[in-house]
Amino acid sequence: MVDGRKPRPAFAPWDRRALPGLFDVEESARRVGAYAWLEMRLFEALGGWIATVPELDVKLVLGRHCYHHAWHAEQLQQRLPELREMNPARLTLPANEGIVAFAEALIEPEAAEQTIEKLVGVFRVLLPRTIAAYTYHLNGTSTITDAPTIRTLNFLLQDEFEDWREGEMLLQSLIKTPEQIERASNRAKSLEALIVVAGGIAGAGTLGEEVNESENKSEAVPE
Amino acid sequence: MKRFLPVEELARDERFIRSDLAEGFADPRNGRVRDRTISTARLQPDRAAAPDRARSLMHGIFVGEIQALEAAGRTTFDFDDADAPFALKLDMARQCWDESRHVEISVKLGEHMGTEIGEYTEATFLYEAACVTDPAMRLAGVNRALEGLAIDVFNTMKDFGEASGDPVLQFCEDWMLADEVTHVKMGSDWLRRLTERDPERRERALEFQRAVDKLFSLGGFRGETDESPIQIARRFRELAGFDTKEIDEIAGLAAESIAETRALLGKTG
């Protein structure tokens, strides 16, 4: 019979969680707010595009993904009051002006002939960046003190991986000619340039690079 | 991408052919066909025309669901946060997912019933109701009037599935009916919240809803007698938050429309 009164360690031998983390409360909140802002712009764009794409299968996927990203924004905003921001809207902000420019460029295509441009922006540029940033956050933050953020990000990442895969498969089914290959590459190149200038979805230091104070300000897009 | 996409710019593949709903309603031959009083207008499996009518109605549901998806999507994009708060857009995003599933269900049901995409034409009335620039009016027209109509249509189709011994049709329509009740409730809830301090705006929105409701009662398309193929689903409308007075009003519109059609028939026939 197990003696329940015998003292046991608080952490089982296999539980390797540790207190130290890369982010204090303010930095974790700033990043969460930046993610929420971008998830909002994304679900609005996906919703708006549904009526503009003639491909029925793409239309239906956009409808499904639109809700995923709206739900992500809601989950992230719900975390903000727990990170000392009682008014989530106040911290639901773009990381810098560069990310605003990126979001505007992402949303810009409208014509029915631009399905490739719409999908490349989301599935070949933005989602790989959100996956990278969320992964960096959950790998870097304190596994004990910031565990609720980690849990939220893990839920989001499950959608992001599945949605990225679905979007990439749609793109592979749509890109068939040299002209379409070029359109896809050009679109990825122009958006990649903007997000590189922004430093990633959370601004400079998104993936832990060294950051100067001035780097999260607006900068010109390089030629 | 611009805000407020006009109906002419809705993107479709080459299978879709548009038709004008008003022209169909105005065609006096339809009135004469209805006036033959050979039997009930309800969908009944023992009638020879029932399979064709059910397939046509299913195609109508399919294109309606596409437009409902597009309309909910546009509501997430067309308005800034001051006009449409995030919580409203979140509900509309959820509706996008629901409508996506409804399109998928309708495509599969259409195949199950022996039709295919593009066999019938597409009228774009639902999306047109979503082109209004006041979100309160949009919610009244789309979520209360048209999603309310969807409750009536799905319940009629569910009953047809049951009467014709088609458990697949009955099962799917019942699931879609559950979603539509939610969408109508969303519309009622947001209409109340958006117009809380502006009774005139609420009245304008409700007026728009009545106009849309009247359009779909034209010629007795939807009503409570044997003359209407689509029956008003009182129980499900109550679940969705309509009160008895509102449902009576819709039933009254139907009776009025049948009388107007008869009068028109008298003049043209």
Side-chain angles (χ1 to χ4, degrees), chain A residues 40 43-45 47-54 56 59-60 63-64 66-67 70-71 73-74 77 107-108 110, chain B residues 1-2 5 9-13 66 69-70 73-74 76-77 86 89-90 93-94 96-97 100 103-104 117:
Chain A
M40 281 187 182
F43 93 78
E44 291 166 355
W49 277 334
I50 295 167
T52 72
V53 294
L56 190 54
K59 222 181 249 300
L60 302 183
R64 190 177 339 120
C66 172
Y67 177 61
W71 184 79
E74 185 195 29
Q77 281 206 324
I107 291 163
E108 195 258 332
E110 176 182 288
Chain B
M1 172 169 48
K2 65 176 167 289
L5 191 81
E9 291 181 33
L10 278 184
R12 293 284 182 275
D13 69 40
I66 294 176
L69 164 63
E70 293 169 327
R74 290 309 300 188
T76 70
F77 182 77
F86 169 61
K89 291 185 178 184
L90 178 66
R94 172 55 200 239
C96 283
W97 183 24
S100 271
V103 175
E104 292 168 346
I117 297 172

Side-chain angles (χ1 to χ4, degrees), chain B residues 185-210:
Chain B
K185 281 173 78 122
M186 274 180 196
S188 302
D189 182 37
W190 279 109
L191 177 64
R192 192 167 42 247
R193 288 164 73 174
L194 290 178
T195 61
E196 217 160 21
R197 292 186 196 84
D198 191 346
E200 281 179 24
R201 186 183 179 200
R202 180 177 299 181
E203 193 39 52
R204 279 197 304 276
L206 289 172
E207 193 52 47
F208 182 61
Q209 181 191 325
R210 282 190 281 272

Side-chain angles (χ1 to χ4, degrees), chain B residues 69 87 149 157 172 183 190 204 222:
Chain B
L69 164 63
L149 172 70
M157 271 304 232
C172 293
H183 299 163
W190 279 109
R204 279 197 304 276
R222 182 251 314 272

Side-chain angles (χ1 to χ4, degrees), chain A residues 56 60, chain B residues 58-59 62 100-117 166 168-169 172-173 176:
Chain A
L56 190 54
L60 302 183
Chain B
M58 178 50 64
H59 197 278
F62 159 67
S100 271
R101 292 198 313 281
H102 292 184
V103 175
E104 292 168 346
I105 294 165
S106 305
V107 170
K108 287 195 182 287
L109 277 180
E111 288 167 0
H112 168 76
M113 294 166 78
T115 182
E116 61 184 17
I117 297 172
D166 184 341
V168 176
L169 181 61
C172 293
E173 295 295 336
M176 291 200 284

Side-chain angles (χ1 to χ4, degrees), chain B residues 6 65 98 117 177 198-199 213 216 235 248:
Chain B
E65 295 295 347
D98 297 346
I117 297 172
L177 190 50
D198 191 346
D213 271 329
F216 289 97
R235 184 166 72 86
D248 286 345

